[in-house]
Amino acid sequence: MASTVDSDRVREYNEEDKPSFHRKLDELARLMRESRYTVFYTGAGVSTSAGVGDYRGPSGAWTMRRIKELELESSRSTKAVNEELAKLKRELAREEQKATKKIDMNDAQPTPTHMAMSTLIRLGLAHYVVTTNLDGIHRKSGLQGHSQLCNLHGDIYIERCTSCGYDFERNYHVRQGNSIHVHDHKVGTCSRCGSRPPKHYTGRPGDLKMRKSCWGGQMVGTRDIDCGTKDTHINFGECLDSVDWNEAELHCGKADLCVIAGTSMSLRHITHFPFMAKKTVLINLQATPDDSQATLRIWAKCDPVFQGLMERLCIPIDPIPAWRPKDSVPTSQIPSYLHPHNIPQARHLETTARLRDAESPDPLRTAPDRQLK
């Protein structure tokens, strides 16, 4: 597979200290006021201030992998390869000077960007989030799956039935981890409809090849049917679940405005979705292949943009709500095949929810005038 990282696109640009930034925030506020149906399309960049690492930033997971690949080629590399490696390492050094501590994805909490989006959707001033993030933070901000939120690449907390389609929202990371084949998504038996992995399930492909992300029950793929419950992670080479694809297509297709936030737009099989909207705003520190198509291009971090937007709309950002997954289980019932750290993390989720309850006793505000005058 070709690399989705290159040294030119890793470079970050930030206009937050320039007059153009404030003019663009004014324009973004105007577009929000005029839009009758607004969708947010988010990537890893909305979660970096929560301590979750990105993928293609200067210190992102795929950038680090690319550096290692180039270092292994150094003995037989060309001048161009050496120059690319040097550029990537320079950007990494800059990033390390300003980097914040990375935390476990399970512990990450909503950022001002997440909460601004959630606030606008709660008030009916925006309508939907399509995200490529697995981290579950949009759920922690108060958004409801399917009616307000679509996770194109899955969600660490979601266990989905391959028969009745029900999404179990768990208080632990549902994927079994490195103990299973990368393309096997089997979790177990559905407690609602009884669907379970077939008798010929082995958890290994054998001589089979994946066909449109189906294994016919020998493993559970992203599009296999009536094979029990599955995790919703999407790995390289796999098809998206048609449920999530169709939701993204539906909401982006009827949007007046789509605001892209924190993505390099590198995964080209899904980057058409935001441009189904009549107008598109693109917020990212790095260049993307779609910059010229955007109605408005903002070179900045997500939090300053959304904080500035909410100030211009005269709407305070909601406090982070208490989040209790609707299908939580007692820690004694967390599956034994999962890593033991899921137990203290489930306890931490409940402790955090109790703290949120104590911090937010006031009832939710009512929506201001729809035109945001």
Side-chain angles (χ1 to χ4, degrees), residues 205-216:
D207 295 330
L208 289 180
K209 293 188 181 297
M210 184 169 61
R211 296 181 181 276
K212 295 184 178 179
S213 290
C214 294
W215 293 96

Side-chain angles (χ1 to χ4, degrees), residues 52 92 120 146 153 159 197 235 244 291 303 309:
V52 179
L92 174 61
L120 290 167
H146 303 298
H153 290 159
E159 174 185 347
N235 299 306
D244 305 308
D291 290 342
D303 286 349
L309 170 65

Side-chain angles (χ1 to χ4, degrees), residues 310-365:
M310 298 300 273
E311 289 172 3
R312 284 160 174 78
L313 299 179
C314 300
I315 300 174
I317 297 175
D318 286 345
I320 300 173
W323 181 65
R324 291 181 173 87
K326 60 184 174 66
D327 301 292
S328 295
V329 300
T331 54
S332 60
Q333 294 180 23
I334 291 177
S336 59
Y337 55 75
L338 295 174
H339 194 283
H341 71 207
N342 279 279
I343 294 175
Q345 286 177 338
R347 291 176 180 146
H348 179 66
L349 276 177
E350 177 56 29
T351 300
T352 301
R354 290 175 182 173
L355 289 172
R356 300 291 186 215
D357 284 337
E359 292 169 355
S360 305
D362 297 332
L364 292 175
R365 295 182 295 276

Side-chain angles (χ1 to χ4, degrees), residues 6-61:
D6 66 68
S7 57
D8 290 331
R9 288 181 57 198
V10 162
R11 184 69 184 271
E12 294 181 343
Y13 304 89
N14 194 323
E15 61 179 336
E16 291 169 30
D17 59 351
K18 297 178 180 178
S20 60
F21 179 64
H22 299 283
R23 290 196 298 270
K24 289 181 178 182
L25 290 188
D26 292 340
E27 176 66 6
L28 174 58
R30 184 187 68 79
L31 291 169
M32 287 290 300
R33 291 188 184 100
E34 292 178 352
S35 173
R36 305 300 297 182
Y37 199 90
T38 299
V39 171
F40 300 111
Y41 181 95
T42 70
V46 301
S47 298
T48 51
S49 65
V52 179
D54 61 11
Y55 295 94
R56 297 170 186 84
S59 60

Side-chain angles (χ1 to χ4, degrees), residues 38-139:
T38 299
V39 171
F40 300 111
Y41 181 95
T42 70
V46 301
S47 298
T48 51
S49 65
V52 179
D54 61 11
Y55 295 94
R56 297 170 186 84
S59 60
W62 304 141
T63 304
M64 299 303 293
R65 178 182 293 184
R66 181 61 176 158
I67 288 174
K68 289 181 180 179
E69 290 173 353
L70 294 173
E71 286 176 336
L72 290 174
E73 295 177 16
S74 60
S75 61
R76 59 183 188 280
S77 61
T78 64
K79 180 181 178 181
V81 168
N82 286 329
E83 288 177 350
E84 182 181 5
L85 178 59
K87 286 182 180 179
L88 289 172
K89 286 187 171 181
R90 282 198 299 272
E91 295 304 319
L92 174 61
R94 289 194 186 101
E95 182 73 3
E96 286 175 339
Q97 291 177 356
K98 63 181 182 181
T100 57
K101 183 180 178 181
K102 300 294 188 291
I103 65 173
D104 189 285
M105 192 178 289
N106 289 275
D107 297 328
Q109 296 299 308
T111 67
T113 297
H114 291 95
M115 289 313 305
M117 292 179 182
S118 178
T119 302
L120 290 167
I121 290 174
R122 180 182 65 78
L123 296 175
L125 305 173
H127 303 84
Y128 207 78
V129 171
V130 176
T131 186
T132 61
N133 296 342
L134 284 161
D135 54 36
I137 302 180
H138 280 299
R139 288 181 183 273

Side-chain angles (χ1 to χ4, degrees), residues 114-348:
H114 291 95
M115 289 313 305
M117 292 179 182
S118 178
T119 302
L120 290 167
I121 290 174
R122 180 182 65 78
L123 296 175
L125 305 173
H127 303 84
Y128 207 78
V129 171
V130 176
T131 186
T132 61
N133 296 342
L134 284 161
D135 54 36
I137 302 180
H138 280 299
R139 288 181 183 273
K140 294 177 181 177
S141 76
L143 297 184
Q144 301 300 309
H146 303 298
S147 61
Q148 298 174 320
L149 172 67
C150 163
N151 294 86
L152 279 175
H153 290 159
D155 184 312
I156 62 174
Y157 299 108
I158 297 302
E159 174 185 347
R160 179 174 292 170
C161 180
T162 59
S163 181
C164 68
Y166 183 78
D167 277 2
F168 295 90
E169 188 180 66
R170 301 301 193 188
N171 54 334
Y172 54 86
H173 189 160
V174 301
R175 183 161 173 81
Q176 295 189 42
N178 296 329
S179 62
I180 63 171
H181 190 279
V182 66
H183 293 307
D184 185 15
H185 297 270
K186 174 252 185 183
V187 174
T189 299
C190 177
S191 60
R192 293 172 68 93
C193 73
S195 178
R196 65 183 64 214
K199 292 181 180 179
H200 58 277
Y201 169 84
T202 65
R204 308 303 301 175
D207 295 330
L208 289 180
K209 293 188 181 297
M210 184 169 61
R211 296 181 181 276
K212 295 184 178 179
S213 290
C214 294
W215 293 96
Q218 194 156 313
M219 297 196 304
V220 178
T222 61
R223 290 194 171 183
D224 273 308
I225 297 173
D226 197 13
C227 296
T229 59
K230 63 178 181 179
D231 67 66
T232 56
H233 293 213
I234 300 294
N235 299 306
F236 279 119
E238 296 178 334
C239 294
L240 275 63
D241 191 312
S242 57
V243 170
D244 305 308
W245 180 281
N246 292 341
E247 287 178 355
E249 189 172 61
L250 170 66
H251 291 279
C252 290
K254 64 181 180 180
D256 295 316
L257 177 67
C258 183
V259 180
I260 304 168
T263 170
S264 61
M265 303 290 280
S266 296
L267 300 177
R268 303 307 289 170
H269 60 293
I270 54 174
T271 52
H272 66 286
F273 283 129
F275 294 98
M276 295 174 70
K278 295 180 178 68
K279 294 181 180 179
T280 307
V281 176
L282 206 165
I283 306 160
N284 200 53
L285 288 168
Q286 299 165 297
T288 82
D290 304 296
D291 290 342
S292 62
Q293 293 188 61
T295 308
L296 176 64
R297 179 60 164 98
I298 303 176
W299 303 84
K301 294 180 179 179
C302 295
D303 286 349
V305 172
F306 280 89
Q307 288 168 320
L309 170 65
M310 298 300 273
E311 289 172 3
R312 284 160 174 78
L313 299 179
C314 300
I315 300 174
I317 297 175
D318 286 345
I320 300 173
W323 181 65
R324 291 181 173 87
K326 60 184 174 66
D327 301 292
S328 295
V329 300
T331 54
S332 60
Q333 294 180 23
I334 291 177
S336 59
Y337 55 75
L338 295 174
H339 194 283
H341 71 207
N342 279 279
I343 294 175
Q345 286 177 338
R347 291 176 180 146
H348 179 66

